[in-house]
Amino acid sequence: MQLNRYLDLCKPKIVLLLTLTALVGMMLSTNFYNDVISGLASLLGFAFLAASSAALNQIFDKETDKNMQRTKNRPLASGNITLLNALIFTSILLFLGSSLMLYFSNILTLLITTFGFIFYSLIYTIYLKWATPQNIVIGGLSGALPPLIGWTAVANEISLLPLTLVLIIFLWTPPHFWPLAIDRIDEYKKEGVPMMPIAKGVARTKIEMVIYAVLLFGASLAPFLYGLTGIFYLVSTSLLNIYFIYLCVAYLNDQENILSMKIFNFSVKYMFLFFLATYVDFLLMLYV
């Protein structure tokens, strides 16, 4: 169906994850419950902007996507959607998203979201991706912003808790994406993308994954140490982080890289479970 092709243009799984983290950022602020409709409307605006950013990424990567097994079936790469239609669709999403956020939230939120949009769609996609093996590390900043965006949409201020959540996602991104880069290393080599496993080697990349996983654990402790979260958060997220570190350490001796996709898939589940635990802890602290 044509509708499904346009949906695929938006990278729906990534947009869903970003939107859920933004939603949790919203719901962690008590201001959200004063006007739920406005909060959800601005969240929809964020989802539209995230979708337009993902679509613009595919527009710029159209030729590269044609040559990679993982991306060759994307709507533009496969020719299922024309470039003109993709540009029109992306522009509509951009207009709707910006309008909703501006009307239902505030200028601060729109500015942060616009920064993330420009950073990912233009700076990362056009320049950073091709310029440095730290592309995923630096580019991860845009994907780390949703909790802060969700918070500011309802609170109209920047606070410590959403900032720690931004840091957590930022540190999670390298050990999340690098196993996939290792699994698809030949494709990235062919296209000349200087991913970390290509530029610095697979062994070095695995060591850095362990370092980032340990730093992620440390950052995850910050909300509890600052008194922003409770025991449920501490226990739940610690278990997630310990298992993540265990997988990354086991990966060091995995000469055949069998664990690549297991780590990648777990890292996606990690993010869902982490934010679920964070919100459940918020409810426990509020009502128990």
Side-chain angles (χ1 to χ4, degrees):
M1 291 178 61
Q2 192 71 3
L3 182 60
N4 288 337
R5 291 169 183 170
Y6 282 101
L7 186 62
D8 288 340
L9 186 65
C10 300
K11 299 184 180 179
K13 292 181 181 179
I14 295 176
V15 171
L16 176 62
L17 182 59
L18 294 174
T19 303
L20 286 175
T21 57
L23 175 61
V24 174
M26 266 184 192
M27 295 193 301
L28 290 175
S29 171
T30 54
N31 290 12
F32 170 73
Y33 305 95
N34 297 329
D35 191 352
V36 173
I37 299 300
S38 291
L40 294 178
S42 60
L43 183 71
L44 180 61
F46 168 79
F48 282 152
L49 284 174
S52 67
S53 180
L56 194 57
N57 172 263
Q58 287 196 48
I59 289 171
F60 285 122
D61 281 351
K62 175 172 160 292
E63 295 304 318
T64 303
D65 286 347
K66 289 179 181 180
N67 301 319
M68 298 184 68
Q69 187 67 30
R70 182 173 67 93
T71 57
K72 68 178 184 179
N73 292 321
R74 285 177 173 174
L76 274 170
S78 62
N80 288 322
I81 294 178
T82 66
L83 181 59
L84 177 60
N85 286 344
L87 286 168
I88 293 172
F89 179 67
T90 302
S91 300
I92 292 171
L93 289 175
L94 180 61
F95 173 77
L96 290 174
S98 300
S99 299
L100 284 169
M101 293 204 76
L102 184 59
Y103 185 81
F104 288 102
S105 59
N106 48 70
I107 292 293
L108 174 62
T109 304
L110 184 59
L111 287 175
I112 297 173
T113 308
T114 301
F115 167 78
F117 177 92
I118 294 173
F119 195 84
Y120 176 72
S121 302
L122 302 178
I123 298 175
Y124 167 75
T125 301
I126 296 176
Y127 175 69
L128 283 175
K129 183 176 180 179
W130 308 94
T132 170
Q134 296 294 328
N135 46 19
I136 290 301
V137 179
I138 303 171
L141 177 60
S142 59
L145 291 174
L148 178 62
I149 291 170
W151 178 281
T152 59
V154 295
N156 198 20
E157 65 175 7
I158 295 175
S159 189
L160 181 59
L161 179 56
L163 285 177
T164 60
L165 295 178
V166 168
L167 176 61
I168 287 164
I169 300 177
F170 179 78
L171 294 172
W172 163 86
T173 301
H176 156 68
F177 192 85
W178 280 339
L180 180 63
I182 291 173
D183 187 69
R184 307 294 170 89
I185 190 169
D186 291 335
E187 295 183 13
Y188 283 111
K189 278 183 182 178
K190 181 181 176 182
E191 294 305 310
V193 183
M195 301 302 295
M196 180 65 75
I198 298 170
K200 301 297 182 180
V202 171
R204 165 75 177 273
T205 302
K206 290 180 178 181
I207 292 172
E208 294 206 16
M209 282 177 59
V210 174
I211 294 172
Y212 273 103
V214 172
L215 291 174
L216 174 62
F217 192 3
S220 299
L221 295 174
F224 177 78
L225 295 177
Y226 279 103
L228 303 172
T229 56
I231 294 296
F232 181 83
Y233 168 90
L234 177 65
V235 174
S236 301
T237 59
S238 293
L239 290 174
L240 284 172
N241 281 299
I242 289 169
Y243 185 63
F244 202 4
I245 293 172
Y246 164 77
L247 287 176
C248 291
V249 171
Y251 201 32
L252 293 173
N253 298 316
D254 179 17
Q255 300 301 319
E256 302 299 321
N257 301 321
I258 297 171
L259 291 173
S260 294
M261 294 312 296
K262 181 176 181 179
I263 296 174
F264 176 78
N265 290 327
F266 171 75
S267 67
V268 176
K269 295 175 184 175
Y270 171 101
M271 193 50 55
F272 278 106
L273 293 172
F274 180 91
F275 276 86
L276 176 62
T278 303
Y279 184 62
V280 170
D281 181 82
F282 167 78
L283 293 177
L284 290 173
M285 290 185 68
L286 198 62
Y287 296 111
V288 176

